[in-house]
Amino acid sequence: MGEKKKFIRDSVYGDISLNKFEEQIMDMPQFQRLRRIKQLGLISLIYPGANHTRFEHSIGTMNLGSKLATELELSNDEIELIRISALLHDIGHGPFSHVSEGVLSVPHEELTKYVITKTSMRDLLEEKFNVNDIVDIVNGKGYLGPIVSGELDVDRMDYLLRDSHNTGVAYGVIDYERIISNLKLEDGLILNIKGVQAAEGALVSRYFMYPSVYQHHTTRIVNSMFRRSLRKIIDDGIINEKDIYKYDDNDIVSIFRNCDNKYANDIMNRLDNRKLLKRVKTIRLDNFKIPEKMYKIKADELRKAEKEISEDYNINEDYVFINIAAYPRFDEMKTQVDLDGKLYPLTEISNIISALSKARFNIPDISLYVPKDEKEKFEKFKLEQYLDLPEIDKEKFHGIHYDQIKLF
């Protein structure tokens, strides 16, 4: 008789099977910690259902990795390697996932490598695998790497589906089965022309998930508040950032509430009671002639501007935040499409993707946040008096305005 498999009931895919070895890996404390790491950090303050964890996402990514590896007709050994790599791809994430990563000097991929190669997990993994092969796949390296970490990978597919499912935002519903059945593995993952429509749907979904969820203006301020507090307790030596992979969300919340840093105490109290800082000024990046220039503004320039604003408006500088939305990369647009034996970038095959590439700066903005009771002071505030902003594209504004007038 074959090995009896265990099944986990997943809210997105239904039953997901596990073999005995995978079950052993999941039972290790390093993996169980992921049950206590929220996938979307503090976004449950905006979407109350967003309480899903890295634990669920990791299992879902393994499930899709297994489906894709099987579709690609990989060997049984390769399928097992993909499954375990997908299962462990986020094992090094710090508390509240990407929120804490914005403060750390090391990316979560490096911490993942450390957990896989330097902790007790290595001993168990080496019973079946070369840990360096797992690390390479997690980092998108080698022949198999693009399956887990590439342009159209199973990690992205799962988080779009899962984040949409748990937030209730319908944009993330994608036809992952159609995408998977139309991928082949050569020098990276190549998409068959028949899968273009499904890939378009995935990219459009991701495009709309950014302003609705990942870069929602309230998401950005709660993340900023948390990060500034985390930076302070690291600088105070209350926690060592090299040990961040050992902490879970509850650990950090407890430290914020009970440590000697008054700022961290106050910010945690604000997050606990949803007393968030408010947006008082925002400029969409597509107002500028060259939006990309915004991302050349350095962190110390932003901090200097915050300090000057705090002095001019008599506000504690730690409660003034200038936030620029994350750069809209959309790497999936680089995916190669097979059309009659020739490869073309997805942007050349699809007018929709080409349009998204041009429209990516329609959504991001730069915003100023201050405490709610200070809002009235900023009615006539001009951000350009504190930062060297790119040149405004006045013609673009008038062109858009004229087109809108014609609709009426």
Side-chain angles (χ1 to χ4, degrees):
M1 289 183 66
E3 178 185 341
K4 186 176 180 181
K5 291 190 174 183
K6 182 175 182 177
F7 289 88
I8 286 185
R9 187 71 175 178
D10 182 68
S11 63
V12 175
Y13 310 111
D15 285 342
I16 296 177
S17 65
L18 297 169
N19 62 38
K20 188 66 178 175
F21 186 80
E22 291 161 353
E23 191 180 339
Q24 287 179 282
I25 291 294
M26 286 176 58
D27 283 343
M28 295 198 73
Q30 294 94 328
F31 195 87
Q32 288 295 312
R33 182 185 72 98
L34 297 183
R35 288 185 184 272
R36 305 181 298 279
I37 305 287
K38 285 186 181 179
Q39 170 80 3
L40 290 179
L42 296 153
I43 288 180
S44 61
L45 286 170
I46 298 96
Y47 294 102
N51 288 304
H52 55 302
T53 66
R54 288 279 154 183
F55 185 90
E56 298 160 63
H57 166 60
S58 297
I59 296 168
T61 303
M62 179 194 71
N63 178 57
L64 292 187
S66 185
K67 286 179 183 293
L68 179 52
T70 302
E71 184 71 31
L72 295 170
E73 298 182 342
L74 300 182
S75 69
N76 288 337
D77 287 346
E78 288 173 323
I79 292 172
E80 287 196 9
L81 178 58
I82 287 295
R83 283 177 63 90
I84 207 70
S85 300
L87 189 65
L88 297 177
H89 80 284
D90 276 346
I91 196 74
H93 256 298
F96 295 103
S97 298
H98 290 290
V99 187
S100 60
E101 190 174 13
V103 173
L104 307 176
S105 56
V106 224
H108 77 271
E109 290 87 355
E110 283 298 312
L111 294 172
T112 292
K113 178 180 178 180
Y114 184 87
V115 175
I116 290 171
T117 61
K118 302 294 184 184
T119 71
S120 57
M121 182 165 276
R122 176 174 186 148
D123 296 334
L124 180 54
L125 287 170
E126 285 190 327
E127 292 180 14
K128 288 194 72 171
F129 302 101
N130 181 326
V131 290
N132 293 319
D133 291 341
I134 296 172
V135 169
D136 283 347
I137 291 172
V138 166
N139 287 294
K141 296 179 181 178
Y143 177 63
L144 300 175
I147 294 173
V148 175
S149 183
E151 291 160 358
L152 200 59
D153 58 42
V154 293
D155 176 21
R156 281 185 173 93
M157 288 186 220
D158 182 81
Y159 78 61
L160 276 174
L161 286 161
R162 195 168 300 281
D163 295 348
S164 174
H165 175 79
N166 285 280
T167 58
V169 175
Y171 298 127
V173 179
I174 64 173
D175 189 355
Y176 70 92
E177 292 178 326
R178 181 75 171 173
I179 295 172
I180 285 174
S181 65
N182 282 285
L183 287 171
K184 62 181 178 179
L185 188 61
E186 292 178 354
D187 184 14
L189 284 172
I190 309 296
L191 184 67
N192 187 286
I193 190 67
K194 294 178 181 178
V196 166
Q197 190 173 15
E200 287 174 337
L203 269 163
V204 169
S205 295
R206 191 160 176 245
Y207 178 82
F208 284 116
M209 285 289 281
Y210 264 76
S212 301
V213 179
Y214 307 129
Q215 292 295 311
H216 186 282
H217 67 90
T218 309
T219 298
R220 284 159 50 203
I221 188 55
V222 296
N223 289 350
S224 296
M225 291 166 68
F226 176 88
R227 285 170 179 155
R228 188 167 288 180
S229 301
L230 181 60
R231 183 72 264 163
K232 285 182 180 294
I233 66 171
I234 289 173
D235 290 345
D236 284 355
I238 295 170
I239 65 170
N240 187 333
E241 73 167 307
K242 292 180 180 178
D243 294 330
I244 201 74
Y245 69 92
K246 298 177 182 177
Y247 293 95
D248 60 34
D249 295 358
N250 297 331
D251 294 328
I252 296 299
V253 167
S254 178
I255 290 169
F256 274 25
R257 285 177 181 155
N258 300 299
C259 70
D260 291 333
N261 187 295
K262 299 300 181 187
Y263 181 75
N265 300 158
D266 181 60
I267 291 298
M268 196 66 248
N269 180 62
R270 286 174 175 270
L271 294 175
D272 281 341
N273 296 290
R274 211 178 184 280
K275 294 179 179 178
L276 310 178
L277 275 68
K278 298 299 179 180
R279 184 170 60 167
V280 293
K281 177 70 177 179
T282 186
I283 306 173
R284 275 179 30 180
L285 300 197
D286 67 343
N287 284 331
F288 302 113
K289 281 189 175 180
I290 307 175
E292 292 92 333
K293 281 189 175 181
M294 185 61 69
Y295 294 96
K296 293 183 179 178
I297 298 176
K298 297 178 181 177
D300 58 350
E301 293 177 66
L302 295 175
R303 200 71 183 107
K304 180 174 178 286
E306 290 170 348
K307 187 174 182 353
E308 290 174 355
I309 292 167
S310 73
E311 291 170 351
D312 289 351
Y313 287 85
N314 193 29
I315 303 171
N316 184 325
E317 66 180 279
D318 285 330
Y319 291 85
V320 176
F321 291 83
I322 300 173
N323 180 274
I324 304 172
Y327 188 90
R329 294 191 183 281
F330 297 104
D331 291 337
E332 300 96 320
M333 294 180 183
K334 302 173 187 174
T335 298
Q336 296 292 301
V337 179
D338 184 347
L339 177 60
D340 298 328
K342 293 182 179 180
L343 298 182
Y344 301 88
L346 187 55
T347 46
E348 289 185 19
I349 293 291
S350 167
N351 289 332
I352 292 175
I353 303 306
S354 179
L356 281 183
S357 181
K358 294 173 184 174
R360 67 171 77 187
F361 291 105
N362 288 358
I363 293 172
D365 63 61
I366 179 170
S367 293
L368 172 70
Y369 299 83
V370 299
K372 184 178 180 180
D373 55 5
E374 306 284 1
K375 279 186 69 174
E376 291 182 1
K377 296 180 180 179
F378 290 84
E379 286 184 9
K380 297 181 180 180
F381 176 81
K382 293 186 182 298
L383 188 57
E384 56 270 27
Q385 293 178 350
Y386 296 90
L387 278 173
D388 185 15
L389 299 177
E391 184 181 357
I392 293 287
D393 189 346
K394 295 179 181 177
E395 291 182 11
K396 181 190 289 185
F397 172 78
H398 289 303
I400 293 169
H401 185 61
Y402 177 69
D403 287 342
Q404 288 172 336
I405 288 172
K406 289 192 298 183
L407 296 176
F408 294 97

